[in-house]
Amino acid sequence: MTQYQTAGENARLKLFALLEAQGVPTSEADDLVAALEARAVAGAQCEVVEPDMYPGASGEEFREGWHAGVTAVSEALVGIADRDWARRGGRSAGAAELAVHIANVRQRERADLVRLERFVRETVLPRTHPNTTQRRRVLEALGEAGGLCTARTVEMSSGDVILCTREAGHYDPDDLPGWKRGKSDGTPGGWHRAGGSIWSDAGGTCTPHTAV
Protein backbone atom coordinates (compact mmCIF):
# COMPACT_ATOMS: atom_id res chain seq x y z
CA MET A 1 0.00 0.00 0.00
CA THR A 2 2.94 2.30 0.59
CA GLN A 3 3.61 2.68 -3.12
CA TYR A 4 0.02 3.74 -3.73
CA GLN A 5 0.14 6.23 -0.88
CA THR A 6 3.36 7.76 -2.21
CA ALA A 7 2.07 7.89 -5.79
CA GLY A 8 -1.21 9.42 -4.60
CA GLU A 9 0.55 12.09 -2.55
CA ASN A 10 2.79 13.01 -5.48
CA ALA A 11 -0.21 13.15 -7.80
CA ARG A 12 -2.11 15.37 -5.34
CA LEU A 13 0.78 17.82 -5.07
CA LYS A 14 1.18 17.89 -8.84
CA LEU A 15 -2.53 18.56 -9.23
CA PHE A 16 -2.27 21.48 -6.79
CA ALA A 17 0.65 22.85 -8.83
CA LEU A 18 -1.26 22.56 -12.11
CA LEU A 19 -4.36 24.22 -10.65
CA GLU A 20 -2.26 27.01 -9.16
CA ALA A 21 -0.54 27.57 -12.52
CA GLN A 22 -3.98 27.94 -14.13
CA GLY A 23 -4.97 30.58 -11.59
CA VAL A 24 -7.45 28.42 -9.67
CA PRO A 25 -7.99 29.89 -6.17
CA THR A 26 -6.48 27.88 -3.34
CA SER A 27 -9.81 27.20 -1.63
CA GLU A 28 -11.35 25.98 -4.88
CA ALA A 29 -8.36 23.71 -5.50
CA ASP A 30 -8.85 22.23 -2.04
CA ASP A 31 -12.53 21.63 -2.82
CA LEU A 32 -11.73 19.87 -6.10
CA VAL A 33 -9.10 17.60 -4.57
CA ALA A 34 -11.32 16.81 -1.59
CA ALA A 35 -14.19 15.89 -3.92
CA LEU A 36 -11.95 13.57 -5.93
CA GLU A 37 -10.63 11.88 -2.80
CA ALA A 38 -14.15 11.44 -1.36
CA ARG A 39 -15.35 10.04 -4.69
CA ALA A 40 -12.52 7.50 -4.71
CA VAL A 41 -13.47 6.29 -1.23
CA ALA A 42 -17.15 6.18 -2.18
CA GLY A 43 -16.28 4.05 -5.20
CA ALA A 44 -14.39 1.64 -2.98
CA GLN A 45 -17.38 1.46 -0.63
CA CYS A 46 -19.70 0.54 -3.52
CA GLU A 47 -17.36 -2.29 -4.54
CA VAL A 48 -17.22 -3.61 -0.98
CA VAL A 49 -21.00 -3.76 -0.48
CA GLU A 50 -21.80 -5.05 -3.98
CA PRO A 51 -21.25 -8.81 -3.28
CA ASP A 52 -24.23 -9.97 -1.24
CA MET A 53 -22.94 -13.49 -0.55
CA TYR A 54 -19.77 -14.81 1.03
CA PRO A 55 -17.68 -16.29 -1.80
CA GLY A 56 -16.19 -19.02 0.40
CA ALA A 57 -17.80 -21.70 2.54
CA SER A 58 -21.59 -21.83 2.73
CA GLY A 59 -23.77 -21.79 5.80
CA GLU A 60 -25.80 -19.26 7.75
CA GLU A 61 -23.02 -18.58 10.26
CA PHE A 62 -20.56 -17.73 7.52
CA ARG A 63 -23.09 -15.53 5.71
CA GLU A 64 -23.87 -13.59 8.88
CA GLY A 65 -20.17 -13.08 9.57
CA TRP A 66 -19.60 -11.96 6.01
CA HIS A 67 -22.41 -9.42 6.12
CA ALA A 68 -21.25 -8.12 9.49
CA GLY A 69 -17.73 -7.62 8.13
CA VAL A 70 -19.00 -5.93 4.98
CA THR A 71 -21.18 -3.61 7.06
CA ALA A 72 -18.26 -2.65 9.31
CA VAL A 73 -15.95 -1.92 6.38
CA SER A 74 -18.70 -0.06 4.53
CA GLU A 75 -19.41 2.15 7.52
CA ALA A 76 -15.71 2.87 7.94
CA LEU A 77 -15.39 3.87 4.29
CA VAL A 78 -18.45 6.09 4.50
CA GLY A 79 -16.89 7.77 7.53
CA ILE A 80 -13.64 8.36 5.63
CA ALA A 81 -15.52 9.85 2.67
CA ASP A 82 -17.53 12.10 5.00
CA ARG A 83 -14.36 13.22 6.75
CA ASP A 84 -12.53 14.03 3.49
CA TRP A 85 -15.55 15.89 2.17
CA ALA A 86 -15.97 17.86 5.40
CA ARG A 87 -12.31 18.92 5.21
CA ARG A 88 -12.74 20.66 1.86
CA GLY A 89 -11.74 24.30 2.06
CA GLY A 90 -10.62 23.88 5.66
CA ARG A 91 -7.31 22.14 5.05
CA SER A 92 -3.97 23.84 4.93
CA ALA A 93 -4.20 25.41 1.52
CA GLY A 94 -2.83 23.43 -1.38
CA ALA A 95 -0.51 26.25 -2.36
CA ALA A 96 1.06 26.35 1.09
CA GLU A 97 1.32 22.56 1.19
CA LEU A 98 2.94 22.60 -2.23
CA ALA A 99 5.40 25.29 -1.16
CA VAL A 100 6.53 23.20 1.81
CA HIS A 101 6.88 20.14 -0.42
CA ILE A 102 8.93 22.05 -3.01
CA ALA A 103 11.16 23.50 -0.28
CA ASN A 104 11.82 20.01 1.10
CA VAL A 105 12.60 18.65 -2.37
CA ARG A 106 15.00 21.50 -3.11
CA GLN A 107 16.72 21.03 0.23
CA ARG A 108 17.26 17.34 -0.55
CA GLU A 109 18.50 18.21 -4.03
CA ARG A 110 21.00 20.71 -2.62
CA ALA A 111 22.25 18.13 -0.14
CA ASP A 112 22.61 15.58 -2.95
CA LEU A 113 24.55 18.08 -5.06
CA VAL A 114 26.90 18.84 -2.17
CA ARG A 115 27.61 15.13 -1.70
CA LEU A 116 28.07 14.63 -5.45
CA GLU A 117 30.45 17.59 -5.73
CA ARG A 118 32.48 16.33 -2.78
CA PHE A 119 32.73 12.88 -4.37
CA VAL A 120 33.81 14.32 -7.74
CA ARG A 121 36.35 16.64 -6.13
CA GLU A 122 37.82 14.13 -3.70
CA THR A 123 37.58 10.89 -5.69
CA VAL A 124 37.16 11.52 -9.42
CA LEU A 125 39.39 14.58 -9.97
CA PRO A 126 42.52 13.12 -8.34
CA ARG A 127 42.30 10.11 -10.68
CA THR A 128 42.50 12.24 -13.83
CA HIS A 129 45.78 13.30 -15.38
CA PRO A 130 46.71 16.91 -16.25
CA ASN A 131 46.10 18.02 -19.84
CA THR A 132 43.57 15.28 -20.57
CA THR A 133 40.01 15.45 -21.85
CA GLN A 134 38.83 13.52 -18.80
CA ARG A 135 40.26 16.15 -16.46
CA ARG A 136 38.74 18.97 -18.50
CA ARG A 137 35.30 17.35 -18.30
CA VAL A 138 35.59 16.96 -14.54
CA LEU A 139 36.64 20.60 -14.16
CA GLU A 140 33.73 21.67 -16.38
CA ALA A 141 31.33 19.69 -14.20
CA LEU A 142 32.74 21.48 -11.14
CA GLY A 143 32.48 24.84 -12.90
CA GLU A 144 36.24 25.33 -12.74
CA ALA A 145 37.23 25.13 -16.40
CA GLY A 146 37.50 28.90 -16.78
CA GLY A 147 41.28 28.75 -16.57
CA LEU A 148 41.61 26.34 -19.49
CA CYS A 149 42.37 27.16 -23.11
CA THR A 150 39.30 27.61 -25.33
CA ALA A 151 40.90 26.59 -28.62
CA ARG A 152 39.21 23.77 -30.50
CA THR A 153 39.62 21.79 -33.69
CA VAL A 154 37.86 18.98 -35.56
CA GLU A 155 39.13 15.42 -35.62
CA MET A 156 39.20 14.69 -39.34
CA SER A 157 38.70 10.93 -39.01
CA SER A 158 35.59 11.17 -36.84
CA GLY A 159 34.34 14.73 -37.21
CA ASP A 160 34.38 15.16 -33.42
CA VAL A 161 35.10 18.59 -31.96
CA ILE A 162 38.14 18.55 -29.66
CA LEU A 163 38.91 21.19 -27.05
CA CYS A 164 42.44 21.98 -25.95
CA THR A 165 43.16 20.60 -22.49
CA ARG A 166 46.01 22.96 -21.60
CA GLU A 167 45.93 26.10 -19.47
CA ALA A 168 44.74 29.38 -20.94
CA GLY A 169 47.52 31.61 -22.27
CA HIS A 170 49.86 28.75 -23.12
CA TYR A 171 49.78 29.25 -26.90
CA ASP A 172 53.04 30.17 -28.62
CA PRO A 173 53.01 29.44 -32.37
CA ASP A 174 56.79 29.86 -32.54
CA ASP A 175 57.36 27.11 -29.99
CA LEU A 176 57.01 24.22 -32.44
CA PRO A 177 55.91 20.74 -31.32
CA GLY A 178 58.38 17.87 -31.30
CA TRP A 179 57.34 16.37 -34.63
CA LYS A 180 58.00 19.74 -36.29
CA ARG A 181 61.54 19.64 -34.92
CA GLY A 182 62.24 16.12 -36.03
CA LYS A 183 61.36 14.51 -32.71
CA SER A 184 58.88 11.72 -32.20
CA ASP A 185 58.17 12.28 -28.51
CA GLY A 186 54.80 13.96 -29.18
CA THR A 187 55.65 17.09 -27.17
CA PRO A 188 53.25 19.90 -28.13
CA GLY A 189 55.63 22.79 -27.67
CA GLY A 190 53.43 25.88 -27.43
CA TRP A 191 50.65 24.45 -29.59
CA HIS A 192 47.27 23.15 -28.51
CA ARG A 193 46.82 19.60 -27.32
CA ALA A 194 44.03 17.14 -26.53
CA GLY A 195 44.86 13.47 -26.23
CA GLY A 196 46.99 12.53 -29.23
CA SER A 197 46.03 15.64 -31.24
CA ILE A 198 48.37 18.63 -31.52
CA TRP A 199 47.38 21.69 -33.55
CA SER A 200 47.93 25.40 -34.08
CA ASP A 201 45.49 28.23 -34.73
CA ALA A 202 46.41 28.23 -38.42
CA GLY A 203 44.33 25.18 -39.34
CA GLY A 204 41.16 25.68 -41.39
CA THR A 205 39.02 23.75 -38.92
CA CYS A 206 40.49 25.41 -35.84
CA THR A 207 38.90 27.95 -33.52
CA PRO A 208 41.76 29.99 -32.02
CA HIS A 209 42.18 30.32 -28.31
CA THR A 210 41.54 34.06 -28.68
CA ALA A 211 38.03 33.52 -30.07
CA VAL A 212 35.03 34.37 -27.89
Side-chain angles (χ1 to χ4, degrees):
M1 294 299 293
T2 302
Q3 62 178 332
Y4 298 127
Q5 292 172 341
T6 301
E9 184 64 20
N10 291 337
R12 189 161 69 96
L13 291 170
K14 185 174 183 179
L15 181 57
F16 275 133
L18 292 172
L19 292 172
E20 183 183 20
Q22 293 299 316
V24 178
T26 298
S27 59
E28 185 177 345
D30 275 340
D31 287 350
L32 292 172
V33 173
L36 289 172
E37 292 174 344
R39 171 63 183 86
V41 176
Q45 189 266 351
C46 291
E47 291 189 29
V48 168
V49 301
E50 184 175 354
D52 54 4
M53 290 190 65
Y54 178 62
S58 59
E60 187 63 28
E61 183 178 352
F62 287 101
R63 282 196 296 271
E64 290 179 359
W66 170 257
H67 287 302
V70 168
T71 299
V73 173
S74 175
E75 291 176 352
L77 290 173
V78 170
I80 293 171
D82 288 341
R83 181 195 65 199
D84 287 345
W85 181 246
R87 289 170 61 197
R88 69 190 190 283
R91 298 183 288 189
S92 58
E97 188 176 352
L98 178 64
V100 172
H101 173 73
I102 291 176
N104 290 336
V105 169
R106 288 177 176 171
Q107 185 175 5
R108 290 196 298 271
E109 289 176 346
R110 285 193 294 269
D112 290 341
L113 287 175
V114 169
R115 287 193 295 270
L116 177 59
E117 180 180 348
R118 184 183 303 117
F119 172 78
V120 172
R121 190 178 302 280
E122 297 177 358
T123 304
V124 180
L125 184 60
R127 296 179 180 179
T128 63
H129 298 289
N131 301 324
T132 61
T133 299
Q134 290 78 10
R135 189 177 191 87
R136 183 184 184 100
R137 288 174 177 168
V138 173
L139 291 173
E140 287 175 345
L142 293 171
E144 299 178 1
L148 297 180
C149 181
T150 60
R152 63 185 63 198
T153 188
V154 176
E155 174 61 52
M156 301 306 294
S157 61
S158 63
D160 294 335
V161 175
I162 309 172
L163 276 81
C164 180
T165 57
R166 305 180 71 182
E167 297 294 324
H170 75 88
Y171 185 62
D172 180 3
D174 295 327
D175 184 5
L176 299 178
W179 62 273
K180 281 280 190 178
R181 291 181 277 115
K183 297 182 179 180
S184 58
D185 55 6
T187 54
W191 288 21
H192 305 299
R193 181 174 191 170
S197 299
I198 301 172
W199 72 94
S200 72
D201 288 349
T205 60
C206 300
T207 302
H209 68 293
T210 54
V212 177

